[in-house]
Amino acid sequence: HVHFSARPSLPTGRMPRLAAALLISALALCAASPALAKPKEAEDAAAAINSAATRGKTAGNNAKADITGDSTASSASSSRDAKASAAIWIILGSGAVGIIFAAFQLYLISRIEVEPGRRDEGYSRLEGGEDAAAAMTLYTVYCAIQDGAKAFLFAEYALMFVFVVLFGALVLFLTSWVGPNEFNLKVGGCTCIAFVLGALTSIVSGYIGMMVAVYGNARTTIAAMEAQDEAAWSKAFNTAFRSGGVMGYCLTAIAMLMLVALIFILRPILGASLDDEELSQTLFECVAGYGLGGSCIAMFGRVGGGIYTKAADVGADLAGKVVSGIPEDDPRNPATIADNVGDNVGDVAGMGSDLFGSYAESTCAALVVAAGSSEILAAGWGAMLFPITVSAAGIVICAVSSFLATDISPVKKEADVETVLKIQLGVTAALMVGVTYPLAIALLPAEFSIGEVTASPLKAWYCIAAGLVGGCIVGFVTEYYTSHSYTPVREVAQSCETGAATNIIYGLALGYKSAIIPIAIIAIVSYISFASCGMYGVALGALGFLGTLATCLSIDVYGPVCDNAGGIAEMSELPSGVRDKTDALDAAGNTTAAIGKGFAIGSAALVSLALFGGFVTRVSRHQELTGSPIVNVLEPVTFAMLFIGAMLPYWFTALTMKSVGTAAMEMVKEVARQFREIPGLLEGTPGHGPPDHAKCIKISTDASLKEMVAPGLLVILSPIITGTLLGVTAVQGLLVGALVSGVQLAISQSNTGGAWDNAKKYVEKGCVSIMINGEAQPQRKGSDLHKAAVVGDTVGDPLKDTSGPAINIVMKLMAIISLVFADYFMAINGGHGLLNVGK
């Protein structure tokens, strides 16, 4: 057995305290929000009704209006108040449900004991028998992964806090510049507050997800030790799925509650009320800073986490499986702890911040566009908060339907895993389609205008339903192209028979082909949404994609938890039956992670389009007097910048891929050095010195923190520099080019990497055979065919876990920056930039 240098700690007691703290803070926020919402609610309702009634009168019916106006206004005001109260309590109640359900999930996970002397049944038998050393190793590995995760997060978040302070000051200054000779510090200050709150919420979301994932990984391994086979499958799956659920429900509830609190905090500062269209638009444009803060943190979390995890993973694979010929997660490999930490850093903390950003941005885009509709403003806070109630309903629906996977139809064997997850996703989406219809009918006005489009509650529901159904289709298509249960991945696995080159060719072809249907679905959803409700509909379509966010996060985080569980089993040298179960759960986890990436990318495309609509809406307020077209692709500057925008995702990919390669080379050299200088380590000689895991963790940490800066600055500064120098027409071309190019590149990269990963696992299961002397010979680990599969998996790692998933943030972040800084761009030479291009 290999000895580990990490000192065991007792971190498990902190998690219940974390759950209690989250519960108390959420309930306090729920209690405070109505008080924030009440003071001006009646005033806004009455004033907006009177204003709407005044606009609706004509000279011919003044007499009649004088007689009936008071009673009509009173009745309408009561209805508005009731709808506003209902919307607020739906949001607050759902937020409380989300936090409470997350705490309940955490409690169920915590019942599986890991600490010495407090083992579960299967674990206690292991500890008391001849494998007592394996039991202690398991606990030591578990603690080492937790310590490594915390060390990275604290280092990354320290850097992020510096960024928040510096970029927050830039946000304060530039967003205060609202006109050529006008500097409004109140607007800039409110936008800065929203930015900081969004950034902090994103950080908290990532931290919660990371801590819960490393809390549940060893418990999933222990659950797989149950003596009864069906019980082991069910308990291990439920533990991993609930670990994801804690993050899913916490993130969605906290994000929603903080956004509502922010709205009602900024409202009195700006003096905004719904009867004043201009101030209402200003309020929600300031609130858009919330999405900017979340997306900035998501960018660094995704890129930094992706570089960390793939530097460790690629380095460990190359040094271990390819060069030294030892199995994955072998305890002799010094990079294995860093690899297991990286699974959580990239696929949990990074994904959580990413999807938090998508939620915040799509909601902010919907609010900004809705604030331009006089009918929605006149209908009151119930109509304005409708997009948030969609997310609120999603929390409750996801919580109720989660029992389908864990209790009603639990996993009892390997074949059940993917089926249960697909059913869970489909049922959740179907329930959401049904629930959002009455919400739309109850809260939205009977008819409202978004730009030149006349919309209705039914049309708004069409947009949400299209997003929900489209999200499911994208998810299932992603599964088809990345799961070894289907033909495409099996073809990739079989192509390894003739070497790594054909494996690479097949994998790239699969990735490009896999983009066809998702892009078509996104196009159809965009058309339905835009035709039904204009840019407001596009934002609702994005919220439809994210309507099952809690379930999607549960499924997505499930993957890294199972991956860690398998690594812990291998490093602890547990019985092969345990590793077989964790490997099967991990293989399904790779597919679910790909499904999660598909959801994230699809929603990011719609979010970017909705934010583009918000940007155009905000710019149009300045251009109404000129009568010039707001968007015209045939403008010379716009046309030229389409190509620059389309190039940016490739530039971004080049930076991130090279960063992973550079860090992986350093990791390989370090592992080779330890194998060479530590006597007996590679051979596994009893009593050999322990591998230096801390050195490998430091390599990944330093590389990620250093290398994430350049890609992040590329994305953040591109729209700011373009708008400052070339104006808003150039920004429009930049955004459209990046969106059209980025979404297809992201899908193909993510699916190519996922297919290569599962093709390797399909080979390791012995499912691929080649003809030798007229006989079909199964190929397993160590064979030439397996080595070719490992090469493909290694190449695909940075595609699916670094570049691909981060490109969706490229699209969103550029769009939200453009929306937030739109007034600043327009203040420079009337929107033509310092160079007066196109003037």
Side-chain angles (χ1 to χ4, degrees):
H1 295 281
V2 172
H3 301 283
F4 293 89
S5 57
R7 177 184 295 178
S9 57
L10 296 178
T12 53
R14 298 193 190 103
M15 296 308 294
R17 291 201 294 273
L18 173 61
L22 288 172
L23 183 59
I24 293 170
S25 61
L27 294 178
L29 186 56
C30 289
S33 292
L36 293 169
K38 267 189 175 181
K40 292 188 67 178
E41 190 175 296
E43 173 192 339
D44 287 348
I49 284 297
N50 290 336
S51 175
T54 300
R55 289 193 300 268
K57 293 177 182 178
T58 63
N61 64 4
N62 277 345
K64 183 177 179 180
D66 287 340
I67 298 172
T68 61
D70 290 344
S71 60
T72 303
S74 176
S75 174
S77 179
S78 298
S79 174
R80 283 161 43 95
D81 288 349
K83 289 181 179 180
S85 297
I88 291 172
W89 284 112
I90 286 172
I91 294 167
L92 298 180
S94 298
V97 167
I99 296 294
I100 293 170
F101 193 71
F104 172 66
Q105 300 280 77
L106 185 58
Y107 164 73
L108 293 177
I109 299 168
S110 68
R111 293 171 64 183
I112 300 176
E113 298 289 355
V114 180
E115 299 176 19
R118 300 173 61 185
R119 314 290 192 182
D120 265 27
E121 180 187 354
Y123 203 4
S124 61
R125 286 199 302 271
L126 181 69
E127 185 180 28
E130 60 183 11
D131 293 318
M136 193 59 215
T137 300
L138 185 151
Y139 180 69
T140 308
V141 171
Y142 162 68
C143 293
I145 293 173
Q146 280 204 335
D147 292 342
K150 290 176 185 175
F152 172 77
L153 279 185
F154 288 143
E156 183 180 47
Y157 287 164
L159 194 60
M160 286 182 181
F161 278 122
V162 174
F163 167 79
V164 168
V165 172
L166 296 178
F167 194 68
L170 184 65
V171 170
L172 173 62
F173 175 73
L174 294 185
T175 57
S176 296
W177 194 354
V178 296
N181 299 305
E182 186 179 356
F183 195 83
N184 192 329
L185 192 59
K186 184 182 291 185
V187 170
C190 288
T191 307
C192 183
I193 291 172
F195 166 76
V196 172
L197 188 61
L200 294 178
T201 306
S202 183
I203 288 173
V204 169
S205 299
Y207 181 79
I208 291 173
M210 182 80 151
M211 288 299 97
V212 172
V214 297
Y215 184 76
N217 54 11
R219 287 167 170 79
T220 302
T221 307
I222 294 168
M225 296 182 192
E226 290 287 323
Q228 188 179 1
D229 197 53
E230 284 189 3
W233 280 108
S234 179
K235 194 170 182 180
F237 172 85
N238 287 355
T239 302
F241 186 72
R242 285 168 177 155
S243 298
V246 175
M247 179 183 185
Y249 296 105
C250 269
L251 184 148
T252 50
I254 292 173
M256 181 181 65
L257 292 173
M258 295 303 291
L259 179 57
V260 173
L262 176 67
I263 292 171
F264 290 112
I265 288 171
L266 297 186
R267 187 179 67 165
I269 296 175
L270 293 168
S273 62
L274 296 188
D275 64 309
D276 189 322
E277 185 171 330
E278 184 175 352
L279 281 177
S280 295
Q281 289 176 339
T282 300
L283 167 64
F284 292 110
E285 287 165 0
C286 291
V287 169
Y290 182 73
L292 174 60
S295 200
C296 285
I297 297 302
M299 167 57 70
F300 291 115
R302 261 299 195 194
V303 174
I307 293 172
Y308 183 106
T309 180
K310 292 304 108 180
D313 194 2
V314 173
D317 283 354
L318 288 176
K321 291 185 288 187
V322 177
V323 177
S324 303
I326 59 178
E328 184 175 6
D329 294 318
D330 191 287
R332 292 170 288 176
N333 193 330
T336 50
I337 293 293
D339 184 10
N340 282 283
V341 171
D343 291 335
N344 300 290
V345 168
D347 287 340
V348 179
M351 172 63 83
S353 295
D354 180 5
L355 288 176
F356 163 76
S358 291
Y359 165 77
E361 288 159 335
S362 58
T363 307
C364 290
L367 294 173
V368 168
V369 176
S373 171
S374 58
E375 293 88 353
I376 290 180
L377 291 175
W381 282 105
M384 277 303 306
L385 296 178
F386 169 70
I388 305 179
T389 64
V390 172
S391 302
I395 293 175
V396 177
I397 292 298
C398 290
V400 172
S401 63
S402 69
F403 292 103
L404 184 67
T406 57
D407 297 278
I408 298 173
S409 179
V411 170
K412 295 182 179 179
K413 57 184 182 297
E414 179 180 350
D416 292 343
V417 178
E418 288 189 17
T419 303
V420 166
L421 291 173
K422 284 190 290 187
I423 292 174
Q424 172 75 29
L425 189 58
V427 169
T428 305
L431 291 174
M432 276 295 293
V433 170
V435 167
T436 50
Y437 176 76
L439 276 178
I441 298 296
L443 297 178
L444 291 174
E447 190 175 275
F448 55 96
S449 298
I450 302 292
E452 298 180 357
V453 179
T454 300
S456 66
L458 183 61
K459 290 182 177 180
W461 177 70
Y462 288 159
C463 302
I464 298 169
L468 285 163
V469 174
C472 276
I473 295 175
V474 169
F476 293 148
V477 169
T478 302
E479 183 209 17
Y480 174 75
Y481 280 104
T482 57
S483 171
H484 58 51
S485 300
Y486 303 102
T487 302
V489 171
R490 294 185 177 187
E491 289 179 345
V492 173
Q494 192 65 51
S495 72
C496 296
E497 179 180 356
T498 51
T502 48
N503 182 29
I504 299 295
I505 293 169
Y506 266 72
L508 289 174
L510 179 149
Y512 297 142
K513 188 177 180 181
S514 71
I516 297 172
I517 296 178
I519 293 298
I521 294 299
I522 293 171
I524 292 170
V525 173
S526 300
Y527 175 80
I528 292 173
S529 301
F530 192 83
S532 299
C533 297
M535 280 300 178
Y536 185 64
V538 176
L540 292 179
L543 285 170
F545 254 84
L546 298 168
T548 57
L549 181 57
T551 293
C552 289
L553 278 169
S554 300
I555 292 174
D556 194 70
V557 175
Y558 156 90
V561 171
C562 290
D563 195 356
N564 262 206
I568 291 172
E570 181 75 27
M571 295 182 73
S572 305
E573 301 181 60
L574 297 179
S576 60
V578 176
R579 184 64 205 246
D580 289 342
K581 291 183 179 65
T582 56
D583 279 348
L585 293 170
D586 179 28
N590 286 331
T591 302
T592 61
I595 292 174
K597 292 181 180 74
F599 266 96
I601 295 167
S603 64
L606 290 176
V607 168
S608 302
L609 192 56
L611 291 169
F612 178 74
F615 171 70
V616 171
T617 300
R618 190 168 187 180
V619 168
S620 67
R621 293 171 56 191
H622 296 270
Q623 296 183 326
E624 285 174 355
L625 297 177
T626 67
S628 60
I630 299 167
V631 178
N632 185 357
V633 175
L634 297 181
E635 285 283 335
V637 177
T638 306
F639 192 77
M641 291 304 294
L642 285 171
F643 292 97
I644 302 298
M647 171 271 297
L648 287 179
Y650 290 89
W651 187 357
F652 178 86
T653 298
L655 291 174
T656 52
M657 292 284 287
K658 186 177 180 182
S659 296
V660 171
T662 302
M665 286 177 60
E666 189 175 351
M667 185 72 73
V668 171
K669 292 177 181 178
E670 172 59 24
V671 172
R673 181 195 67 79
Q674 293 195 35
F675 281 153
R676 184 174 61 253
E677 296 180 5
I678 300 178
L681 177 60
L682 179 59
E683 297 79 11
T685 306
H688 66 75
D692 187 357
H693 297 289
K695 178 65 175 176
C696 293
I697 291 175
K698 186 176 187 304
I699 289 174
S700 281
T701 301
D702 292 347
S704 64
L705 297 181
K706 176 185 175 183
E707 300 291 341
M708 74 179 184
V709 175
L713 291 180
L714 171 67
V715 177
I716 291 171
L717 295 180
S718 292
I720 296 177
I721 293 174
T722 301
T724 301
L725 297 179
L726 304 177
V728 294
T729 54
V731 173
Q732 290 164 0
L734 188 79
L735 296 182
V736 174
L739 168 60
V740 173
S741 166
V743 64
Q744 304 185 66
L745 188 62
I747 291 173
S748 64
Q749 287 185 355
S750 295
N751 290 348
T752 291
W756 276 329
D757 195 347
N758 273 340
K760 178 201 69 175
K761 285 182 166 53
Y762 191 63
V763 171
E764 291 174 346
K765 291 177 66 176
C767 297
V768 178
S769 301
I770 61 175
M771 299 300 296
I772 301 177
N773 298 325
E775 283 188 30
Q777 299 286 338
Q779 302 297 294
R780 298 181 182 273
K781 292 182 179 181
S783 64
D784 289 339
L785 189 145
H786 178 250
K787 290 179 180 177
V790 170
V791 171
D793 175 40
T794 306
V795 173
D797 275 336
L799 290 176
K800 72 181 176 67
D801 290 325
T802 307
S803 300
I807 288 176
N808 57 27
I809 306 178
V810 172
M811 301 182 288
K812 295 183 300 179
L813 184 53
M814 290 174 62
I816 190 69
I817 286 174
S818 302
L819 171 59
V820 170
F821 292 106
D823 284 352
Y824 161 70
F825 297 152
M826 290 302 301
I828 303 175
N829 290 325
H832 294 284
L834 292 175
L835 301 181
N836 272 325
V837 176
K839 189 170 183 179

